[in-house]
Amino acid sequence: SIPTRRDDVETEADIAEEVARLYGYDRIPAAQDRAARSHGALSLRMEISLRLRRLLTGMGLTEVVTDAMVSPEVLDLLGINSGAVVIRNPVGINASVMRTMLVPGILDVLVRNEHRGEEGVAIFEVGKVYRREGDEFKETWHLALGLSGLNESRVWNRTPRDFDFFDLKGIGEA
């Protein structure tokens, strides 16, 4: 019977744990888990996404993850509100539709960094976008890049230059 002073021992599993503790965990042989012997693999989409992320971070870009829920006003300003998925019970008006592109999030990150005094920002996002086509809802993966300001940090022996089209072209070619 369980001693009355041990109110943490209630079930068979608790009793088995106490027996194992008293006997000694190091004296109990470890059983190999079947799942540990199986070999998993990444799907093609996951493999491509991982390679893309490694390539872009290797080129000096920083990955960002932005919110999938955005304000309808933002989509209206950018002219990309057609086919937007409206959330029935949103947290607030600023998060009441699902993004139809990654651009609003990328622009928000660029603006925030500019306001905080960052002189050069190179970012990317790999994420889902959502659209409504008739009665169906579509989720597709997209990639977005954002470059702003100086291409390299200020150093004593070089004159910094701004990002330009050729930087973006080089990333696209890679």
Side-chain angles (χ1 to χ4, degrees):
S1 66
I2 300 170
T4 55
R5 69 181 187 283
R6 294 296 309 269
D7 58 350
D8 61 326
V9 178
E10 297 175 353
T11 64
E12 276 183 46
D14 295 332
I15 294 171
E17 182 180 354
E18 288 300 311
V19 170
R21 187 179 60 77
L22 292 172
Y23 180 69
Y25 288 117
D26 57 331
R27 295 173 57 189
I28 301 172
Q32 187 170 359
D33 188 15
R34 286 185 181 166
R37 287 186 274 144
S38 66
H39 299 285
L42 296 175
S43 69
L44 180 60
R45 190 208 57 77
M46 290 172 68
E47 180 68 32
I48 291 170
S49 176
L50 182 62
R51 288 176 140 191
L52 182 62
R53 285 178 162 103
R54 286 182 180 160
L55 173 73
L56 293 172
T57 54
M59 294 177 75
L61 280 79
T62 301
E63 182 173 10
V64 296
V65 179
T66 61
D67 200 351
M69 296 175 286
V70 296
S71 168
E73 287 81 28
V74 170
L75 298 182
D76 286 337
L77 282 172
L78 295 171
I80 53 174
N81 61 352
S82 65
V85 177
V86 178
I87 300 170
R88 287 186 185 164
N89 189 11
V91 176
I93 189 66
N94 292 334
S96 60
V97 295
M98 301 298 288
R99 64 185 176 194
T100 57
M101 316 178 74
L102 299 176
V103 173
I106 292 290
L107 290 175
D108 185 49
V109 172
L110 291 174
V111 167
R112 285 179 189 217
N113 277 279
E114 175 81 18
H115 290 166
R116 286 178 175 79
E118 283 295 321
E119 292 185 322
V121 180
I123 57 173
F124 75 94
E125 181 174 13
V126 177
K128 286 185 179 180
V129 299
Y130 309 88
R131 296 190 69 75
R132 183 179 190 143
E133 294 178 4
D135 292 339
E136 291 187 18
F137 296 98
K138 305 276 184 175
E139 292 181 8
T140 54
W141 286 91
H142 285 217
L143 165 68
L145 303 171
L147 305 174
S148 173
L150 298 177
N151 184 0
E152 49 196 37
S153 59
R154 295 182 189 274
V155 291
W156 68 272
N157 63 349
R158 276 193 298 246
T159 304
R161 67 174 184 80
D162 287 335
F163 281 110
D164 59 18
F165 169 75
F166 296 104
D167 294 309
L168 190 58
K169 182 181 178 209
I171 293 168
E173 286 177 350

